């Protein structure tokens, strides 16, 4: 379960170094993944190891890139303004929130378990609730609750407002939230696809069931500032990643993180998400 929960961060680390080599200081990449159990020290060490592989695969000079990681949504905008990165790794919610301000366009998506999208689910102890309406007013936990606007607008498609309809209890670890659910300390937990897949590995005293399943939501990968990264640069980064999982060292990393491949993305796949976001601002 720990591996499943932390894979989102590992994916961010693997994607982090997609920036052009610039003269002078290493080119910065801002990596924003709100919530989760990873601290900045561990993130920096993991990303440094990933950078070296991507530099070789993409034929960039060693030490061409650096990354700055934050697990705090509020800090991401500050880092974007300060570092002015040509490329960034963000959650889908942060991309939707900042895309206009920074001319962000999606460049590449990961393919995991044959898919480039995922569903979110709300789980509760079996038999306690028969839908989200019954859950209103109850306690809702999960690692993804650091972005309540994303949960409300995208995951719940505007049908529920997490901050008004539930008593939110964000957690740094999904397993901790699920154990609280098992003890009756929470009414429900919201899980992403990877976390939900890890449920079978837990030995919970009380069985759980799904009371809500979202529509398909595209996985977020690398985004580019279209003002700072020309189209040819974006294409180069996409091609480097498409090759990475076929590289011997890169394949070991991809296999370790459960990533089958990286695929160039048509930005239009995010248009339905943008409409949901803007319609309910």
């Amino acid at each position: 379960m720990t591996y499943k929960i932390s894979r989102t961060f590992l994916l961010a680390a693997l994607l982090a170094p997609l920036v052009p080599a610039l003269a002078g200081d290493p080119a910065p990449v801002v990596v924003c993944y709100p919530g989760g159990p990873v601290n900045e020290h561990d993130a920096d060490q993991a990303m440094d190891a990933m950078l070296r592989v991507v530099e070789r695969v993409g034929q960039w000079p060693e030490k061409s890139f650096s990354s700055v990681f934050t697990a705090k949504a509020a800090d991401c905008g500050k880092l974007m303004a300060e570092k002015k990165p040509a490329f960034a790794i963000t959650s889908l919610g942060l991309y939707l929130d900042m895309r206009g301000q920074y001319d962000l366009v999606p460049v590449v998506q990961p393919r995991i378990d044959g898919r480039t999208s995922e569903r979110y689910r709300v789980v509760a102890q079996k038999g306690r609730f028969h839908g989200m309406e019954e859950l209103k007013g109850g306690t809702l936990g999960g690692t993804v609750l650091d972005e309540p606007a994303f949960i409300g607008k995208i995951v719940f498609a505007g049908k529920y407002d997490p901050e008004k309809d539930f008593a939110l209890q964000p957690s740094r670890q999904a397993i901790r939230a699920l154990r609280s659910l098992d003890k009756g300390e929470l009414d429900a937990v919201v899980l992403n696809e990877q976390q939900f897949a890890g449920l079978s590995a837990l030995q919970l005293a009380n069985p759980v069931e799904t009371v809500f399943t979202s529509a398909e939501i595209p996985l977020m990968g690398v985004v580019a500032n279209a003002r700072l990264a020309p189209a040819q640069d974006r294409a180069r980064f996409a091609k480097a990643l498409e090759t990475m999982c076929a590289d011997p060292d890169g394949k070991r990393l991809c296999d370790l993180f459960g990533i089958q491949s990286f695929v160039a993305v048509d930005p239009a796949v995010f248009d339905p998400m943008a409409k949901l976001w803007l319609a309910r601002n």
Side-chain angles (χ1 to χ4, degrees), residues 23-34:
D25 294 336
V29 178
V30 170
V31 182
C32 303
Y33 266 92

Side-chain angles (χ1 to χ4, degrees), residues 149-179:
F150 168 73
I151 298 300
K153 296 178 181 182
I154 304 301
V155 174
F156 293 154
K159 296 178 181 178
Y160 304 100
D161 184 328
E163 295 180 299
K164 293 180 180 179
D165 293 334
F166 312 102
L168 301 184
Q169 295 190 22
S171 174
R172 292 289 302 273
Q173 296 181 333
I175 192 170
R176 181 174 297 173
L178 288 166
R179 285 174 176 164

Side-chain angles (χ1 to χ4, degrees), residues 15-16 18-19 29-30 80 85-92 94-96 98-99 102-109 219-226 229 234 237 241 265 270:
L15 292 174
L18 303 182
V19 293
V29 178
V30 170
M80 292 290 287
F87 286 77
I89 314 299
T90 72
S91 66
L92 178 56
L94 287 170
Y95 159 70
L96 292 170
M98 300 188 299
R99 70 185 197 130
Y102 295 104
D103 283 345
L104 298 181
V105 293
V107 174
V108 70
Q109 285 182 287
L219 291 170
M220 196 75 249
V222 177
V223 299
N225 183 321
R234 302 197 297 268
F237 303 150
L241 278 182
V265 59
F270 293 95

Side-chain angles (χ1 to χ4, degrees), residues 17-134:
L18 303 182
V19 293
L22 301 177
D25 294 336
V29 178
V30 170
V31 182
C32 303
Y33 266 92
V38 180
N39 61 48
E40 292 186 11
H41 175 73
D42 292 340
D44 288 339
Q45 287 190 326
M47 290 177 189
D48 186 68
M50 305 303 175
L51 285 168
R52 308 293 79 83
V53 174
V54 175
E55 285 166 347
R56 179 175 55 77
V57 171
Q59 298 182 348
W60 289 293
E62 188 175 0
K63 304 286 186 179
S64 291
F65 317 115
S66 64
S67 60
V68 182
F69 172 84
T70 181
K72 299 177 181 178
D75 288 346
C76 188
K78 297 176 184 177
L79 289 174
M80 292 290 287
E82 176 187 345
K83 301 296 183 180
K84 296 179 175 58
F87 286 77
I89 314 299
T90 72
S91 66
L92 178 56
L94 287 170
Y95 159 70
L96 292 170
D97 189 42
M98 300 188 299
R99 70 185 197 130
Q101 182 179 1
Y102 295 104
D103 283 345
L104 298 181
V105 293
V107 174
V108 70
Q109 285 182 287
R111 179 180 283 126
I112 298 174
D113 295 331
R115 302 170 58 195
T116 57
S117 63
E118 64 177 335
R119 293 181 185 270
Y120 287 71
R121 295 168 177 84
V122 176
V123 299
Q125 285 190 22
K126 191 171 184 179
R128 282 202 63 192
F129 303 97
H130 299 92
M132 293 294 288
E133 288 298 321
E134 291 186 12

